[in-house]
Amino acid sequence: MKRRDFVRTAGGATAAVAASAGATGTVAAQEVQPDWPSGAADGNVGSYTDARGQDEVTISVGAGSDGLAFDPTLVWVDEGTTIVWEWTGNGGDHNVQTVDDGGPAALDSGDPVGEEGYTYEYETAGEDAGITHYHCVPHTAVGMHGGIAVGEDVETVEVGGANTGWPEDIAKVGVPLHAHWVGISAILGIGLTFVFTFYMLKYGESAHTGHGGAR
């Protein structure tokens, strides 16, 4: 292969790898969720359900391995949806109550109970629009918290993808690595392309065939 042809081919391959990495990064799935207050979002189990469009949704009270959680912990519903909290009978006596200054919905199931199958129902309305942080009073200190978001007029954030420990945008490297393994592969590919280009320009052949010799 002529040197000029090799350089043209290598350049095209490099561009293709970079474009592929960039395209893959932008495809990373993003999900919009309500911007939950930290206390509610840190509730045990930490599960989330988007129940908009449903007339009724059920939340287990006394979920998790220790029976000290609400599941789903976080729920997004429409105005007019009926939320049913149903006791599992695990984890002792529980109740459902909005924390002080925890939001617009006035949740209050009364005194804590431990009976399996016990239920507390709450139908959301216009005055409940927004995000409400609630808890189980006897187990608030051990993380039995939850949250409900009502309606469309709530603050939201984008979340998505498994937490790999890498930031979505590694600005210091100068490469947006939404899917970091693809990005790393692209960088390695570009580096190898430069190495082979160097050998072709300097010696007229690849690194695998030596530094030129009798032909």
Side-chain angles (χ1 to χ4, degrees):
M1 179 183 289
K2 296 180 180 179
R3 298 181 191 181
R4 183 179 300 172
D5 293 338
F6 179 86
V7 172
R8 185 183 299 114
T9 302
T14 300
V17 171
S20 174
T24 302
T26 58
V27 171
Q30 294 290 319
E31 179 186 21
V32 174
Q33 283 194 26
D35 189 7
W36 303 103
S38 59
D42 294 339
N44 298 334
V45 176
S47 53
Y48 165 70
T49 294
D50 184 347
R52 288 174 296 172
Q54 299 181 28
D55 295 330
E56 183 175 296
V57 61
T58 299
I59 299 174
S60 295
V61 179
S65 58
D66 297 324
L68 298 175
F70 298 104
D71 187 22
T73 309
L74 307 169
V75 180
W76 193 358
V77 299
D78 299 318
E79 295 176 14
T81 299
T82 298
I83 305 176
V84 179
W85 282 266
E86 183 173 353
W87 273 242
T88 66
N90 299 323
D93 292 348
H94 307 296
N95 68 348
V96 173
Q97 188 176 98
T98 300
V99 303
D100 291 341
D101 299 319
L107 306 176
D108 189 356
S109 65
D111 294 333
V113 297
E115 178 187 350
E116 180 181 0
Y118 181 84
T119 60
Y120 164 60
E121 295 187 7
Y122 187 90
E123 183 176 347
T124 61
E127 59 266 25
D128 301 319
I131 298 174
T132 297
H133 172 195
Y134 69 92
H135 63 161
C136 166
V137 175
H139 300 113
T140 187
V142 294
M144 194 167 176
H145 292 252
I148 61 169
V150 179
E152 299 298 328
D153 190 20
V154 297
E155 293 188 17
T156 60
V157 292
E158 285 190 347
V159 298
N163 184 6
T164 61
W166 287 62
E168 290 188 7
D169 187 4
I170 305 183
K172 293 183 179 180
V173 179
V175 180
L177 298 179
H178 297 283
H180 66 272
W181 288 118
V182 176
I184 292 172
S185 299
I187 292 172
L188 290 176
I190 292 170
L192 290 173
T193 299
F194 282 134
V195 171
F196 278 97
T197 301
F198 169 78
Y199 274 94
M200 285 299 297
L201 290 175
K202 187 172 181 65
Y203 302 111
E205 55 190 36
S206 74
H208 297 297
T209 56
H211 290 175
R215 300 187 180 182

